[in-house]
């Protein structure tokens, strides 16, 4: 177990390093720079800005200076917001993104697994058809389209819930539905197909032949194996939900990390793009690692290499 953890930690660091290198190269490959939109600024001012933020140094020097700061958890200053750092954006935005993501995650898990079980148990009947239609709609409709439609119906037409912020419980309804729609649909479909496959195994038929109730067969025997594929995709899903959806936060005016990231991309704010990408990648890698460890808890027969 210890050897596996050390090995995974090493591969995780290598993956994170590769992501940082790739992001740095792609970001500096795009023509222009963070101050290219300062059309009215004279060349002397642009030179001074580039010198202040060390953008006049060779790229390899900039990269290793950034790595040095990153090791000290210093993600650097924002090029666009004077006096603010990328650390400020994460510290201020993470609570909103995490809060929204956690509520969405609970909603997705509480809805997706029962929906998948219901569809599998009623395979070929109307409950299965209803669940599959809803799941297909959730997978195919982009989140920003769902967000716009929900806002139009429930906020503009019915005036049931607010359209922005996270100030009160009702303000979570639309962002949670829009953010969790895809994950809910995907996990429900995955749970259904996995459970259908497990329910056809010999040990399930043996359990039924012994007279064990159907509820006990599902909860004590089938779910343990059927939920493993769901756990596999749960790591990236958790990371994606907890770090926030960039578009959803922008649409609902939620001051999470996503809104800062969208602004940084449009404004070519190098350090913010790098910092947000590194933070998201590190969180995603950590969540995948935690999920891998959960495999052993769900099924003790699984051995780590």
């Amino acid at each position: 177990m210890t050897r596996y953890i050390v090995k995974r930690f090493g591969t995780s660091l290598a993956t994170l390093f590769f992501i940082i290198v790739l992001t740095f190269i792609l970001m500096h490959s795009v023509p222009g720079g963070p101050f290219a939109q300062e059309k009215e600024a004279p060349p002397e001012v642009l030179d001074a800005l580039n010198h202040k933020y060390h953008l006049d140094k060779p790229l390899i020097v900039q990269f290793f200076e950034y790595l040095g700061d990153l090791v000290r958890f210093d993600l650097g200053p924002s090029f666009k917001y004077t006096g603010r750092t990328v650390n400020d954006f994460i510290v201020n935005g993470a609570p909103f993104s995490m809060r929204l993501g956690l509520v969405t995650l609970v909603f997705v898990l509480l809805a997706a697994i029962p929906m998948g079980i219901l569809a599998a148990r009623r395979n070929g009947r109307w409950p299965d058809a209803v669940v599959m239609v809803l799941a297909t709609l959730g997978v195919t409709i982009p989140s920003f389209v769902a967000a716009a439609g929900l806002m139009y119906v429930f906020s503009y037409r019915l005036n049931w819930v607010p359209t922005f912020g996270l100030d009160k419980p009702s303000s979570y309804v639309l962002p949670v539905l829009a953010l969790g729609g895809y994950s809910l649909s995907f996990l429900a479909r995955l749970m259904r197909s996995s459970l259908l496959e497990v329910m056809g195994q010999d040990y399930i038929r043996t359990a039924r032949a012994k007279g064990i109730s159907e509820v006990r067969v599902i909860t004590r025997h089938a779910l343990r194996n059927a939920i493993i594929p769901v756990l596999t995709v749960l790591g990236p899903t958790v990371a994606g939900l907890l770090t926030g959806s960039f578009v959803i936060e922008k649409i609902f005016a939620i001051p999470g990390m996503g809104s800062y990231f969208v602004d940084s991309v449009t404004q070519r704010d190098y350090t913010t793009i790098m910092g947000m990408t590194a933070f998201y990648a590190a969180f995603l890698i950590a969540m995948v690692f935690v999920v891998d460890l959960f495999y052993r808890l769900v099924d003790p027969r699984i051995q780590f290499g």
Side-chain angles (χ1 to χ4, degrees), residues 14 19 23 35 87 93 107 112 134 149 175 180 211 289:
I19 292 172
T23 306
F35 309 113
N87 295 60
F107 164 70
L134 293 177
F289 179 56

Side-chain angles (χ1 to χ4, degrees), residues 205-273:
R205 285 194 285 269
T206 302
R208 285 171 171 163
K210 290 181 178 178
I212 300 176
S213 67
E214 192 66 14
V215 174
R216 190 177 175 86
V217 168
I218 293 175
T219 56
R220 296 293 299 274
H221 299 280
L223 269 184
R224 175 171 293 182
N225 290 326
I227 208 166
I228 289 178
V230 177
L231 282 179
T232 302
V233 299
L234 201 55
T237 301
V238 171
L241 293 178
L242 292 185
T243 51
S245 167
F246 303 151
V247 178
I248 295 301
E249 289 184 0
K250 193 70 177 176
I251 290 175
F252 290 100
I254 298 171
M257 293 185 296
S259 59
Y260 292 117
F261 187 82
V262 173
D263 290 340
S264 69
V265 172
T266 57
Q267 297 177 356
R268 303 286 300 277
D269 193 345
Y270 285 171
T271 49
T272 305
I273 296 173

Side-chain angles (χ1 to χ4, degrees), residues 115-123 128 191-192 195-196 199:
M115 284 175 64
I117 295 174
L118 175 66
R121 289 296 302 129
R122 297 291 184 268
N123 183 30
D128 180 31
M191 188 71 225
R192 172 185 178 273
L195 189 58
L196 282 176
M199 294 296 283

Side-chain angles (χ1 to χ4, degrees), residues 55-260:
L55 295 176
D56 54 349
K57 293 183 178 180
L59 283 182
I60 189 68
V61 175
Q62 294 182 43
F63 178 71
F64 281 105
E65 285 185 352
Y66 182 80
L67 276 186
D69 293 337
L70 189 63
V71 170
R72 298 191 295 272
F73 299 102
D74 180 7
L75 300 178
S78 168
F79 290 172
K80 291 297 181 181
Y81 297 93
T82 305
R84 303 192 66 182
T85 66
V86 182
N87 295 60
D88 294 334
F89 294 153
I90 293 177
V91 170
N92 295 329
F96 292 97
S97 297
M98 293 283 181
R99 215 162 60 208
L100 174 62
L102 190 59
V103 174
T104 307
L105 177 63
V106 172
F107 164 70
V108 167
L109 291 179
L110 290 181
I113 294 177
M115 284 175 64
I117 295 174
L118 175 66
R121 289 296 302 129
R122 297 291 184 268
N123 183 30
R125 302 177 187 175
W126 70 265
D128 180 31
V130 171
V131 171
M132 285 301 97
V133 168
L134 293 177
T136 302
L137 289 175
V139 170
T140 53
I141 297 178
S143 60
F144 62 88
V145 174
L150 291 170
M151 289 177 70
Y152 178 77
V153 174
F154 296 103
S155 296
Y156 179 70
R157 284 295 182 184
L158 301 177
N159 197 25
W160 286 355
V161 288
T163 57
F164 60 89
L166 293 176
D167 300 329
K168 45 189 176 182
S170 59
S171 60
Y172 282 83
V173 175
L174 298 188
V176 166
L177 289 176
L179 180 59
Y182 176 83
S183 300
L184 167 63
S185 305
F186 183 75
L187 291 180
R189 291 173 63 89
L190 186 61
M191 188 71 225
R192 172 185 178 273
S193 61
S194 179
L195 189 58
L196 282 176
E197 182 180 351
V198 170
M199 294 296 283
Q201 299 294 319
D202 290 339
Y203 72 95
I204 296 296
R205 285 194 285 269
T206 302
R208 285 171 171 163
K210 290 181 178 178
I212 300 176
S213 67
E214 192 66 14
V215 174
R216 190 177 175 86
V217 168
I218 293 175
T219 56
R220 296 293 299 274
H221 299 280
L223 269 184
R224 175 171 293 182
N225 290 326
I227 208 166
I228 289 178
V230 177
L231 282 179
T232 302
V233 299
L234 201 55
T237 301
V238 171
L241 293 178
L242 292 185
T243 51
S245 167
F246 303 151
V247 178
I248 295 301
E249 289 184 0
K250 193 70 177 176
I251 290 175
F252 290 100
I254 298 171
M257 293 185 296
S259 59
Y260 292 117

